[in-house]
Amino acid sequence: MKLSFDTVVLVHISFLASTGLGGAQNAGHIVVQTGDVLANGWEVADFSDSIAMSEAGAWAALVHTTEPSSSRDSVVLVDGQIVLAEGDTLANGDVVEFLTGMDLDRDGTLALAYRYAPASGSAVHSRLSIGSTFTLDSGALVGAPGVPASATYRRFDHVAVALPYAVVAATVGVPGSVDVEAAFLLDFTNGGLAGSPGVSLLAAEGSSPAALAGPITWIGQRPAVASDGTYAVSVAFDDAGTFRHAVATSGGVIAVPGTGSPAASGHPWTGLFGITVAAAPGGIRAVSATVGTPQTTIGLLVSTAGGVLAEESQLLAARPTEIVYSFDNTSLELSDSGEAAFIVRLGGGKVLVYGDDVVLESGVSLVSGQLVTDMFVASPTLAIGRSGEALLAVVQHAGGETALVTIERMVGNTTSCVVRPNSTGQMGRLVGSGSSYVAENDVRLRASRLPQMAFGYLLTSRTAGFSALPGGSSGNLCLGGAIGRFVGQIQSSGAQGQIETVVDLTALPQPLGAVAAQPGETWYFQLWHRDSSPGGPPTSNFTASLAIDLR
């Protein structure tokens, strides 16, 4: 198996010159938008309650519709399919009346909070369900330390899940007393979802934590939890007649008004507006809150892992020449590694920042070919896969609709196939960007850590495989079955030792001719390139291989 580039090099150079790689590229893919008609005939109206994303990139949303026949107009969508709708009759005869909360665990387990009319015909009840095995109904005893033994759940308002933990915002009651709002941590470590969780009280209306100047008056409806039990819950409290906000966390109450903040301005926390929170393993929390003086209020985003993420009137790290104009109660998410995703307004428009990068920008970025005109900052309009490789956001676009879009930071996953170092001493790397959605036809693969000025091209197959040192190569081939070659896209790695290839999903090369990729297929890719061997003849090598699950 010899590598022969000579007969196609000139053809490829002229191909690049005639087509080019210029023009705007899609930054995201629209999965559903206002005006879409769902399978039950209802039309999507907005995404104002809950959105979530699993590790594998599955998305979920609690969607309002324009269903005209009754007040029952909301549905829960998972990857575009209706899994529960207001008005549905469940297997036991209960009728869903009102959907109040939803979240999706990294493994795709769905958590729901809703109110229902029992089949028995009694008054409306409330239910929390996680997966197919755990349910908790209103009327059940709370059973948490620090809570009266007779206290029962009255209503479940929202849920955040990162198994084996979940945080639920609920209303609880004690006979003869006024119902109160509270937040609880559910611990499924011992029995899993089939068992009874341990329950811990996190914050409750009427309680007076020592760090606060007055009693808690309100529990935030958007709690956050990580897979090790790290949690964050926003609360409001009465400070001599002024309602202020702080955050109850697994490490104590933080962002307490009047206490010092890490703001560059030196201002203390003020807690004048609502706070949004996020949590990641290892005790990492992130908050969006306010700092300032009696005359000045400034928005501040801060993480216990990385310090200040953004501050009004200060330069944004992801855009070091631009000043943050404003953000107010912004959406905020953390990956398991503690990288933050958030939306802020700069002078020219809004940007979605993830880690050190701007991944979406109003007036600049395209989603499914439509120009993004606005992004919503009010929570919850942002979700993140826990690995951080994909985001979910609510945007408006030039087509006049509000859309839920996926933004893939990386497309595909490096396989476990073992490859060999090339002449640089490193193993070649292959990463994907763009979109895994076939309809977008937007996949770009970049090979790096290559020898300088080395020609190479992509190989692809529907089958993974392994061949050590094939045909005298110095590397390992990680593809099997029918292998196609991108011989029309040979490139030089140049001085940077990199090759980027635009993949046309409508015409993937195969030995018997090009084929179109289909949703649900997995395609494997690897770059084959020229290499040198010390004191020997020219040889070839291979990068790591990449598997892309197409949608």
Side-chain angles (χ1 to χ4, degrees):
M1 187 176 179
K2 294 294 184 180
L3 189 61
S4 177
F5 295 101
D6 299 337
T7 59
V8 291
V9 170
L10 293 178
V11 174
H12 179 62
I13 291 173
S14 63
F15 170 80
L16 286 180
S18 63
T19 61
L21 296 176
Q25 295 174 326
N26 281 322
H29 170 72
I30 296 174
V31 293
V32 65
Q33 63 184 346
T34 53
D36 284 354
V37 178
L38 303 178
N40 62 358
W42 298 359
E43 185 177 299
V44 175
D46 66 61
F47 313 94
S48 61
D49 281 314
S50 305
I51 63 174
M53 192 168 227
S54 76
E55 178 71 9
W59 60 270
L62 204 169
V63 176
H64 291 307
T65 73
T66 57
E67 200 287 316
S69 62
S70 71
S71 60
R72 298 172 178 170
D73 66 353
S74 296
V75 302
V76 174
L77 298 179
V78 176
D79 275 349
Q81 302 300 310
I82 298 174
V83 297
L84 192 65
E86 292 176 356
D88 279 358
T89 299
L90 305 180
N92 62 359
D94 296 341
V95 177
V96 178
E97 293 285 339
F98 184 52
L99 295 164
T100 59
M102 178 279 305
D103 198 13
L104 199 63
D105 185 44
R106 65 182 302 158
D107 68 356
T109 299
L110 183 65
L112 295 167
Y114 59 91
R115 297 170 201 169
Y116 66 94
S120 62
S122 58
V124 172
H125 286 47
S126 186
R127 177 173 291 151
L128 172 70
S129 70
I130 304 177
S132 59
T133 55
F134 178 78
T135 59
L136 188 61
D137 280 14
S138 53
L141 291 172
V142 175
V147 177
S150 60
T152 59
Y153 295 106
R154 300 294 176 87
R155 187 179 70 243
F156 302 104
D157 295 312
H158 197 74
V159 59
V161 61
L163 293 174
Y165 296 95
V167 170
V168 59
T171 299
V172 298
V174 176
S177 300
V178 176
D179 292 351
V180 299
E181 296 178 356
F184 299 94
L185 179 72
L186 307 184
D187 181 356
F188 294 94
T189 302
N190 293 326
L193 292 177
S196 297
V199 182
S200 302
L201 176 66
L202 308 182
E205 183 182 1
S207 64
S208 299
L212 303 182
I216 293 175
T217 58
W218 173 83
I219 302 294
Q221 299 299 292
R222 307 295 170 192
V225 67
S227 56
D228 66 348
T230 297
Y231 68 85
V233 180
S234 62
V235 299
F237 65 97
D238 186 353
D239 182 6
T242 299
F243 291 105
R244 298 187 183 275
H245 298 79
V247 182
T249 78
S250 43
V253 182
I254 62 175
V256 177
T259 63
S261 80
S265 59
H267 295 320
W269 298 106
T270 61
L272 289 178
F273 304 111
I275 292 177
T276 51
V277 297
I284 300 172
R285 288 93 53 188
V287 302
S288 169
T290 57
V291 298
T293 68
Q295 295 78 33
T296 304
T297 299
I298 297 172
L300 180 70
L301 277 167
V302 64
S303 167
T304 55
V308 175
L309 302 172
E311 182 177 347
E312 287 182 13
S313 302
Q314 301 293 323
L315 294 174
L316 179 66
R319 283 284 179 82
T321 61
E322 296 190 58
I323 291 175
V324 177
Y325 180 75
S326 69
F327 54 87
D328 188 12
N329 196 28
T330 189
S331 285
L332 174 64
E333 291 288 337
L334 287 175
S335 70
D336 275 355
S337 65
E339 280 194 294
F342 55 90
I343 299 170
V344 295
R345 183 189 294 276
L346 304 179
K350 295 175 185 174
V351 293
L352 169 54
V353 177
Y354 178 56
D356 297 325
D357 303 314
V358 171
V359 296
L360 203 66
E361 182 172 3
S362 62
V364 175
S365 301
L366 301 179
V367 290
S368 295
Q370 294 281 0
L371 181 68
V372 175
T373 56
D374 198 6
M375 285 180 275
F376 293 89
V377 296
S379 180
T381 54
L382 185 63
I384 191 170
R386 291 294 182 177
S387 67
E389 293 187 3
L391 299 166
L392 191 67
V394 179
V395 307
Q396 284 184 329
H397 62 69
E401 304 292 350
T402 299
L404 188 63
V405 301
T406 58
I407 303 154
E408 295 174 274
R409 197 181 192 197
M410 296 179 66
V411 173
N413 296 291
T414 302
T415 72
S416 58
C417 182
V418 177
V419 295
R420 293 171 176 263
N422 57 45
S423 57
T424 70
Q426 304 179 93
M427 290 177 285
R429 186 183 184 204
L430 187 65
V431 296
S433 60
S435 174
S436 61
Y437 286 84
V438 172
E440 297 289 340
N441 195 19
D442 180 25
V443 173
R444 302 178 298 278
L445 302 184
R446 173 170 292 181
S448 60
R449 302 175 183 171
L450 305 178
Q452 291 180 333
M453 313 308 292
F455 286 101
Y457 62 78
L458 280 179
L459 306 174
T460 189
S461 175
R462 292 187 180 94
T463 307
F466 181 80
S467 298
L469 311 177
S473 172
S474 296
N476 297 334
L477 176 65
C478 296
L479 308 183
I483 299 175
R485 307 181 183 200
F486 288 71
V487 293
Q489 292 175 268
I490 294 177
Q491 297 182 63
S492 169
S493 63
Q496 299 300 316
Q498 297 183 3
I499 291 176
E500 179 167 320
T501 306
V502 177
V503 175
D504 182 359
L505 295 178
T506 69
L508 291 174
Q510 288 288 273
L512 298 180
V515 300
Q518 301 298 320
E521 292 181 340
T522 298
W523 282 81
Y524 298 87
F525 297 86
Q526 192 171 21
L527 188 105
W528 190 19
H529 63 89
R530 274 185 168 170
D531 203 3
S532 60
S533 56
T539 183
S540 68
N541 212 317
F542 300 88
T543 64
S545 61
L546 191 73
I548 301 181
D549 297 321
L550 297 173
R551 300 170 181 271

